[in-house]
Amino acid sequence: MAGDFFGVGECDGQRTIDGQQVPLVLTPASPSVGGGGEALAALLRANREWVESRVVANSAVLLRGFGVRDAAEFDTVVDALGWPDIRYFGPAPRTHVHGRVWTANEGPLHEFIYFHHEMVLIKEFPGKVILFCEVPPPEGGETPFVPSFRVTERVVEEFPEMVEELDEKGLRYTFMAPTKNDTKSMRGRGWEDAFATADKAEAEKRARALGMEVEWTADGGAKTILGPRKLTRVFPERPGRRMWFNTVVGMHGTEVSTATMADGSEIPAGFVRRCRDIIEEESIQFRWEKGDVLILDNLATLHGRRPSLPPRRVLVATCK
């Protein structure tokens, strides 16, 4: 099927996992194919089911060499895939750009954004995360991703009892949010922007709909409380793949967040450190090229951002 409409390429950092290339790199089938976002969108519309099957089978698909130029063309590509939009909710400061397209995390480029499934703690989370590189960074700035099931496999090998205890008890997370956006922080989104209201009662109502509670702090900020949540999940169409569907490592013991067992007992720091090492060891990354479009199966991959020199402009759309 790919040979009829797409070429299959390679990229640095690519791995073979369970017999599949991760990411699968799709390129124009011939030099005459390309022509920007409209041409790529036409290919995607004609092959929607096949492309989605590859996203699930390979966990990530990199569309490279199609000459996607800007946010408007990227929005056309996203629309062609046919997946419904889902509004982003989370701590990252972001700005709407065009249609379904937003900036990725606007926090300082010199900071590392830790690996996560998008909106992992919210009741309704995206099935797909689609990223577009409009301006590749001169150095760094990769978007590494990790096959989540590989993390679970390795952690279960080393800590079988701990994994089962955490899954049985569940996890409890807390997160501190300021009132207004702080773009100097990669977790600086204010609660007024996040809940799209300055009314505290309405914010509490919207928080409950998302599966969280809110406590108000003396400085006007919000402490959001989520849980219990599972440590791992298994999703349809991915049988036998137990996903590391949590944010224990990213939220454990930071200045603005905590991650504990749901009964309040602490998660051993040594366990968290080893999980961090395993996630890093399993990570896959490539150098962004201008016009790249990366489709991630959000149910199967964690992703992050390496520190970067400016300029870097990567845009994102989240889909059901």
Side-chain angles (χ1 to χ4, degrees), residues 74-267:
F74 175 49
D75 187 58
T76 300
V77 169
V78 172
D79 185 67
L81 288 163
W83 301 321
D85 189 35
I86 183 170
R87 182 179 183 271
Y88 170 76
F89 182 88
R94 293 184 174 182
T95 301
H96 180 249
V97 179
H98 181 91
R100 297 169 59 176
V101 178
W102 294 70
T103 58
N105 192 317
E106 295 179 6
L109 287 176
H110 66 270
E111 294 188 23
F112 173 47
I113 297 175
Y114 195 72
F115 297 101
H116 59 284
H117 290 272
E118 201 68 48
M119 296 163 56
V120 63
L121 302 182
I122 310 304
K123 284 185 175 180
E124 186 179 17
F125 39 79
K128 312 292 189 302
V129 173
I130 312 173
L131 298 150
F132 162 62
C133 181
E134 188 172 35
V135 180
E139 182 178 324
E142 297 90 351
T143 298
F145 61 92
V146 182
S148 191
F149 56 92
R150 286 289 301 138
V151 179
T152 306
E153 290 170 358
R154 290 189 56 187
V155 176
V156 167
E157 284 179 3
E158 296 188 29
F159 303 96
E161 294 180 359
M162 178 60 67
V163 170
E164 298 313 318
E165 180 181 2
L166 289 171
D167 249 345
E168 181 180 348
K169 289 185 175 179
L171 300 164
R172 180 177 183 266
Y173 302 92
T174 65
F175 185 83
M176 305 299 296
T179 305
K180 304 293 184 180
N181 288 345
D182 176 12
T183 57
K184 295 180 180 179
S185 169
M186 65 181 182
R187 293 180 172 181
R189 192 180 190 194
W191 66 262
E192 290 185 2
D193 183 22
F195 293 117
T197 181
D199 182 276
K200 290 184 177 180
E202 182 62 24
E204 290 175 7
K205 178 182 176 181
R206 295 178 185 183
R208 287 192 294 272
L210 293 166
M212 65 179 71
E213 298 297 325
V214 176
E215 294 178 358
W216 302 104
T217 60
D219 62 359
K223 177 182 180 181
T224 57
I225 304 161
L226 305 99
R229 295 288 191 271
K230 299 286 286 183
L231 181 77
T232 65
R233 295 278 297 267
V234 177
F235 294 101
E237 300 181 13
R238 301 156 187 87
R241 289 186 165 181
R242 187 177 176 187
M243 306 302 181
W244 186 254
F245 209 71
N246 64 77
T247 186
V248 166
V249 176
M251 291 182 67
H252 185 269
T254 74
E255 292 183 2
V256 297
S257 63
T258 64
T260 66
M261 297 187 199
D263 62 7
S265 54
E266 290 296 323
I267 301 170

Side-chain angles (χ1 to χ4, degrees), residues 299-314:
L299 308 185
T301 57
L302 306 106
H303 68 278
R305 186 194 72 191
R306 300 289 186 201
S308 171
L309 291 179
R312 178 188 189 271
R313 184 170 170 85
V314 173

Side-chain angles (χ1 to χ4, degrees), residues 11-18 20-25 58-62 112 115 131 141-151 278-288 294 296 300-306:
C11 69
D12 53 311
Q14 191 178 47
R15 295 188 185 181
T16 301
I17 300 175
D18 293 346
Q20 301 289 348
Q21 290 296 302
V22 184
L24 174 65
V25 181
N58 297 76
S59 298
V61 172
L62 176 62
F112 173 47
F115 297 101
L131 298 150
E142 297 90 351
T143 298
F145 61 92
V146 182
S148 191
F149 56 92
R150 286 289 301 138
V151 179
I278 289 171
I279 291 170
E280 184 61 49
E281 290 164 9
E282 293 294 329
S283 66
I284 296 167
Q285 65 185 22
F286 62 93
R287 292 283 299 167
W288 279 116
L294 177 66
L296 294 174
T301 57
L302 306 106
H303 68 278
R305 186 194 72 191
R306 300 289 186 201

